[in-house]
Amino acid sequence: MQIYIVRPGDSLYSIAGRFGTDVNTLSYINQLADPSRLTAGMSLVIPGGGEGVRGETEVLAYVYPNVSSATVGETNPYLTYLCPFSYSARADGSLSGIDDARLISLARAGQTAPLMVVTNLSEDSGFSSDIAHSLLTDGTAQETLFENILTVLREKGYYGLNINFEYIYPFDRDSYSQFVAKAAERLHPLGYMVSSAIAPKESDSQYGLLYTAHDYAAHGKYLDRVLIMTYEWGYTYGSPQAISPVNKIRDVLDYAVTAIPPGKILMGVSNYAYDWTLPWQQGRPARILSNAAAVNLAVSRNAEVKFDYTAQAPWFNYTDAAGVSHVVWFEDARSFRARLQLVEEYGLAGIGVWTADQLYRPGLYVLQSMYSVVKLL
């Protein structure tokens, strides 16, 4: 596999001829809406060639229950774990379930291990610090939660558990560490894998509702895998910037590998784009797009794709039909490759994708060209 950057005057036909392939293949791999049109600066994945597989890696992917079976089916060969998102824990330890039978069946059919995801999402207002506090400090509620988790694991045929508690009060840090230790103590003897998803920190002392209660050393000590959510520097209500800048990811990993065994770390990978209107105003949300939709938007607007070499991320400006200016930050084959190179560099277990709901075929081709994906079933 090669990555080619489109130049002014290129056509898909001329590129196909140059590399000994055909237009239909290039259009399919790169998910082009209109093969007759390209725009300067966009990346194209070219099949064949390449440097060879570097070794094995694990790939975890979150998906929402309504993800299409076709998307899961095409992604399955590239996954180690599939995580239907999510079972929401209530303050009393009961669970709000999801329709996950189809996804579990699809995962296992592709030798992908399904993981049960448990969150402290409330039913109406996002992640709840109060729900987390109750579950971490009320012994009765915590025991009820573990029993309910065990029931789901057994009845649904999950391979293991992924704990995704966010916005935990800083004063609940020790309680959360004790909780993950207890989860491992309860589930490991029964043969279940236990993992967590934690915020991207650059030091143990990093303070805040997102960070303080996530004790890297404790999660690394007790759990089998720890997914670090290295994305959302650029986020819905934030200022325009790269979503998963490689330079920022490095800052997190430099600390993470001192607290967590590298072979337990899954590095978070974003699989989406944001479209901000300009000039940016605080409180005005960005529009979320798939990476494929972002590329096709650039082509339709004849917008030149730029590349930030510090962040290792592509972006472009365009003007909509109403004359409003926009900037879009997204991921392409180059940014996927740059982040996947960190897996080998830091000796990580692999990556965790948020989310695999929208297929981005070039990313799968880049992954396949670099690593052999571990299968556990």
Side-chain angles (χ1 to χ4, degrees):
M1 184 221 76
Q2 301 175 66
I3 298 174
Y4 177 76
I5 308 305
V6 173
R7 303 166 186 170
D10 278 341
S11 70
L12 205 60
Y13 179 81
S14 67
I15 295 168
R18 189 179 312 164
F19 289 99
T21 183
D22 61 87
V23 168
N24 289 339
T25 297
L26 290 182
S27 179
Y28 172 79
I29 292 174
N30 293 284
Q31 293 176 269
L32 302 180
D34 183 354
S36 69
R37 298 181 64 187
L38 300 175
T39 194
M42 66 184 287
S43 66
L44 291 176
V45 167
I46 312 293
E51 59 193 59
V53 173
R54 302 170 182 224
E56 290 189 329
T57 196
E58 295 181 6
V59 180
L60 177 152
Y62 292 101
V63 290
Y64 283 102
N66 61 350
V67 62
S68 76
S69 295
T71 295
V72 176
E74 186 166 347
T75 309
N76 231 345
Y78 307 93
L79 300 180
T80 309
Y81 313 101
L82 185 72
C83 298
F85 193 86
S86 71
Y87 282 80
S88 298
R90 303 186 182 97
D92 63 358
S94 60
L95 289 171
S96 175
I98 55 174
D99 185 6
D100 52 1
R102 174 181 65 96
L103 294 178
I104 294 169
S105 178
L106 286 170
R108 286 189 168 274
Q111 297 180 294
T112 298
L115 301 183
M116 176 189 181
V117 181
V118 175
T119 66
N120 59 318
L121 282 166
S122 69
E123 295 179 30
D124 57 3
S125 60
F127 286 97
S128 168
S129 306
D130 290 330
I131 288 175
H133 178 71
S134 176
L135 296 171
L136 299 179
T137 60
D138 183 325
T140 300
Q142 190 173 117
E143 182 60 28
T144 299
L145 176 61
F146 281 129
E147 287 300 320
N148 285 327
I149 287 172
L150 276 167
T151 296
V152 173
L153 289 172
R154 291 180 179 129
E155 292 183 353
K156 295 294 186 72
Y158 275 110
Y159 183 86
L161 177 68
N162 180 256
I163 304 165
N164 188 347
F165 282 10
E166 301 184 37
Y167 291 85
I168 303 170
Y169 290 125
F171 53 76
D172 280 330
R173 174 187 170 105
D174 289 343
S175 296
Y176 189 33
S177 296
Q178 293 162 13
F179 177 86
V180 297
K182 189 171 183 179
E185 180 184 331
R186 292 286 296 271
L187 298 182
H188 278 158
L190 300 175
Y192 293 110
M193 173 190 177
V194 186
S195 62
S196 68
I198 59 177
K201 296 170 63 169
E202 296 179 16
S203 72
D204 184 56
S205 61
Q206 191 166 337
Y207 187 81
L209 196 59
L210 285 172
Y211 308 105
T212 303
H214 288 172
D215 183 337
Y216 274 38
H219 286 244
K221 178 179 180 180
Y222 297 113
L223 302 181
D224 302 294
R225 294 290 182 271
V226 181
L227 188 156
I228 304 175
M229 296 180 283
T230 43
Y231 37 75
E232 290 286 275
W233 276 270
Y235 62 100
T236 306
Y237 286 96
S239 59
Q241 59 182 296
I243 299 164
S244 301
V246 164
N247 57 314
K248 296 295 186 181
I249 294 174
R250 282 185 177 278
D251 291 340
V252 173
L253 293 178
D254 285 343
Y255 161 62
V257 297
T258 69
I260 303 170
K264 288 188 173 185
I265 295 173
L266 298 173
M267 178 189 69
V269 171
S270 56
N271 181 40
Y272 52 94
Y274 280 128
D275 178 346
W276 286 271
T277 54
L278 298 175
W280 178 72
Q281 295 178 4
Q282 183 72 46
R284 185 167 60 189
R287 178 171 66 110
I288 192 167
L289 300 168
S290 70
N291 288 312
V295 172
N296 285 308
L297 174 61
V299 172
S300 70
R301 295 291 176 178
N302 196 30
E304 181 181 358
V305 174
K306 309 291 182 62
F307 195 76
D308 184 314
Y309 286 92
T310 300
Q312 289 288 302
W315 62 279
F316 63 89
N317 291 111
Y318 76 95
T319 303
D320 66 23
V324 177
S325 297
H326 294 248
V327 62
V328 177
W329 285 88
F330 64 108
E331 310 299 343
D332 69 0
R334 292 170 291 181
S335 65
F336 269 98
R337 181 174 61 185
R339 285 177 289 166
L340 285 168
Q341 286 171 339
L342 298 178
V343 173
E344 180 184 41
E345 180 179 338
Y346 285 87
L348 309 181
I351 63 170
V353 180
W354 181 268
T355 68
D357 284 55
Q358 299 294 330
L359 179 68
Y360 186 57
R361 199 170 284 126
L364 298 180
Y365 272 77
V366 171
L367 172 63
Q368 184 183 47
S369 74
M370 296 177 67
Y371 298 102
S372 172
V373 175
V374 174
K375 287 290 187 179
L376 300 174
L377 301 183

